[in-house]
């Protein structure tokens, strides 16, 4: 077997559920990772419920159903999906103005749209997201994860600060000694034990909101099935679908890079839709992939299979429903330390290294900064990625436009002049093409050689028509030669039919 084939088989085994079940060591890693993620999900889900303006149970149930469902139908093993801040921000105005039932209806419609968009191939658009946007996405997430912990460090008893410091020290130094048990879990257990033994008066999970005491149940939102209802929830549903898909597919790509494996993005997309449908019909607020908890699962705890994701949801339900009284005693300082460690590990420190910045083209750095800035300011990853992609497109178009030139290459006789057009011709580069010919001074016959260029759009064809028309007005003829096959087809199909040749 070749080395490439061996690597491929190893990668498949790494994400195989059966492979993990056959290996006690790997199974232990998956189980403990699921437990740590479940503990980290609790305060996050409660916080996002508050942002959305709904009962904490709505966020907790959403996290349970999202995690369990996506572990079965998703395309990226070991990635965590649950209630998220991005979705909470989207649905908050709807919940505030129309109530919980309309929110749930929007989540259900959003899930349907995610399935449809994924089947139509929206995941393929990921190839158009540049690396600099991905780096900005990661760095912005790290900043948001860190900043979301600041409220837990303001106006709190002084004991919180040394507890956070101890938690960070445990997670930093323990892996150097042993990785048998995830360091975040050890930190949570030790800090909780210290809090209980010494009866420390510090904020705990119970202070964040009431934990549910019953299981989620099937429900249909109590909204009128009318056009007015559809027009009310449709904009929010579309935002849920797009934000959820974007954040999930970006996170999936990040996990692919970390694990050196490939995932099915189309399946992940419609899997998110199915998960939101299940979540909506069980009274949850909807969600998508969670970068912070995914990093805990994959990068910190070393999980690689669907088992960890499934167990994160199951443990979450057990903890908040069956062991709610115990979970409520966990100090927030322990979970804050975990999330700070996650933010530090998520940030791409190499991207801001002075040596890297000196070597990197300024345009690439600008795209990264734009992505980070917009995401941090708006707290919306979709806005940041969209601005980053647009910025990259504009800078790329500007750069490529300057690579086009027209060169006077030959004068076969006194009545003929040959121009060579070099470069890629599209709307940004072809608009100035018309000004690079000497319509008055040129002889009767003009040849435009396009062997070293390519026609990409109708703007270029319209420009060539305008050039031909300007020469014709002077009683001169133009012959365009050297077009490759695609350019010839586009030119023959559009030339004279665009209405811009005069």
């Amino acid at each position: 077997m070749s080395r490439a084939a061996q690597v491929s088989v190893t990668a498949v085994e790494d994400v195989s559920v059966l492979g993990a079940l056959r290996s006690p060591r790997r199974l232990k890693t998956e189980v403990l990772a699921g437990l740590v993620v479940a503990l980290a999900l609790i305060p996050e889900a409660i916080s996002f419920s508050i942002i959305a303006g709904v009962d904490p149970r709505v966020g907790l149930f959403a996290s349970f159903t999202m995690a369990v469902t996506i572990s079965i139908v998703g395309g990226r093993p070991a990635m965590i999906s649950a209630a998220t801040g991005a979705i909470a921000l989207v649905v908050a105005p709807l919940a505030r103005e129309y109530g919980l039932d309309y929110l749930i209806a929007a989540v259900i419609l959003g899930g349907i749209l995610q399935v449809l968009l994924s089947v139509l191939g929206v995941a393929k658009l990921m190839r158009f997201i540049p690396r600099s946007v991905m780096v900005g996405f990661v760095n912005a997430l790290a900043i948001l994860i860190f900043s979301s912990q600041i409220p837990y460090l303001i106006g709190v008893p002084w004991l919180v600060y040394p507890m956070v410091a101890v938690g960070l020290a445990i997670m930093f130094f323990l892996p150097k000694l042993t990785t048998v048990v995830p360091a975040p879990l050890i930190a949570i257990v030790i800090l909780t034990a210290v809090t209980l033994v010494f009866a420390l008066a510090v904020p705990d999970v119970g202070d964040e909101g009431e934990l549910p005491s019953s299981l989620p149940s099937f429900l249909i939102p109590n909204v009128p099935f009318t056009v007015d209802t559809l027009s009310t929830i449709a904009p929010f549903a579309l935002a849920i679908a797009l934000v959820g898909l974007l954040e999930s597919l970006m996170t999936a790509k990040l996990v692919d890079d970390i694990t050196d494996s490939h995932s099915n993005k189309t399946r992940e997309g419609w899997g998110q839709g199915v998960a939101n449908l299940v979540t909506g019909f069980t009274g949850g607020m909807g969600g998508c992939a969670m970068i912070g908890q995914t990093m805990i699962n994959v990068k910190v705890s070393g999980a690689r299979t669907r088992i960890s994701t499934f167990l994160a949801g199951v443990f979450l339900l057990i903890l908040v429903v069956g062991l709610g009284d115990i979970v409520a005693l966990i100090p927030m300082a322990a979970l804050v330390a975990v999330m700070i460690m996650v933010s530090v590990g998520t940030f791409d420190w190499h991207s801001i290294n002075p040596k890297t910045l000196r070597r990197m083209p300024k345009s690439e750095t600008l795209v990264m900064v734009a992505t980070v800035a917009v995401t941090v300011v708006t707290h919306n990853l979709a806005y940041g990625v969209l601005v980053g992609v647009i910025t990259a497109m504009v800078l790329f178009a500007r750069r490529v436009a300057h690579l086009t030139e027209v060169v006077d290459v030959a004068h076969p006789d006194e009545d003929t002049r040959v121009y060579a057009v070099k470069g890629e011709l599209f709307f940004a580069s072809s608009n100035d093409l018309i000004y690079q010919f000497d319509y008055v001074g040129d002889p009767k016959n003009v040849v435009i050689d396009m062997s070293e260029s390519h026609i990409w759009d109708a703007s270029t064809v319209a420009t060539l028509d305008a050039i031909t028309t300007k020469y014709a007005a002077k009683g001169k003829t133009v012959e365009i030669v050297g077009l490759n096959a695609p350019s010839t087809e586009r030119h023959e199909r559009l030339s004279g039919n665009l209405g811009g040749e005069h």
Side-chain angles (χ1 to χ4, degrees), residues 378-438:
T378 64
H379 283 228
N380 192 313
L381 295 166
Y383 291 159
V385 172
L386 181 62
V387 169
V389 171
I390 292 175
T391 303
M393 290 171 60
V394 170
L395 292 174
F396 175 76
R398 182 174 178 270
R399 187 165 63 249
V400 173
H402 291 301
L403 298 179
T404 303
E405 62 176 337
V406 176
V407 182
D408 180 3
V409 293
H411 297 262
D413 55 62
E414 61 181 18
D415 292 328
T416 305
R417 185 175 187 180
V418 180
Y419 287 99
V421 179
K422 302 178 180 180
E424 304 301 309
L425 298 174
F426 63 111
F427 62 90
S429 59
S430 62
N431 285 336
D432 291 335
L433 195 64
I434 196 170
Y435 303 114
Q436 300 188 46
F437 296 88
D438 186 0

Side-chain angles (χ1 to χ4, degrees), residues 238-283:
L238 182 60
I240 290 170
L242 294 178
V243 171
L245 282 175
L246 181 60
E247 187 161 348
S248 298
L249 294 176
M250 293 283 281
T251 304
K253 190 174 186 303
L254 177 61
V255 177
D256 287 354
D257 293 340
I258 292 173
T259 61
D260 195 22
S261 61
H262 179 71
S263 60
N264 188 329
K265 304 300 187 302
T266 298
R267 178 177 173 179
E268 182 61 38
W270 63 254
Q272 291 289 333
V274 172
N276 272 307
L277 282 170
V278 173
T279 297
F281 282 119
T282 51

Side-chain angles (χ1 to χ4, degrees), residues 287-312:
C288 59
M290 296 191 77
I291 183 68
Q293 277 66 21
T294 297
M295 289 300 100
I296 291 175
N297 196 45
V298 175
K299 202 169 185 179
V300 178
S301 302
R304 290 294 181 271
T305 77
R306 299 175 186 274
I307 295 175
S308 58
T309 306
F310 178 82
L311 290 179

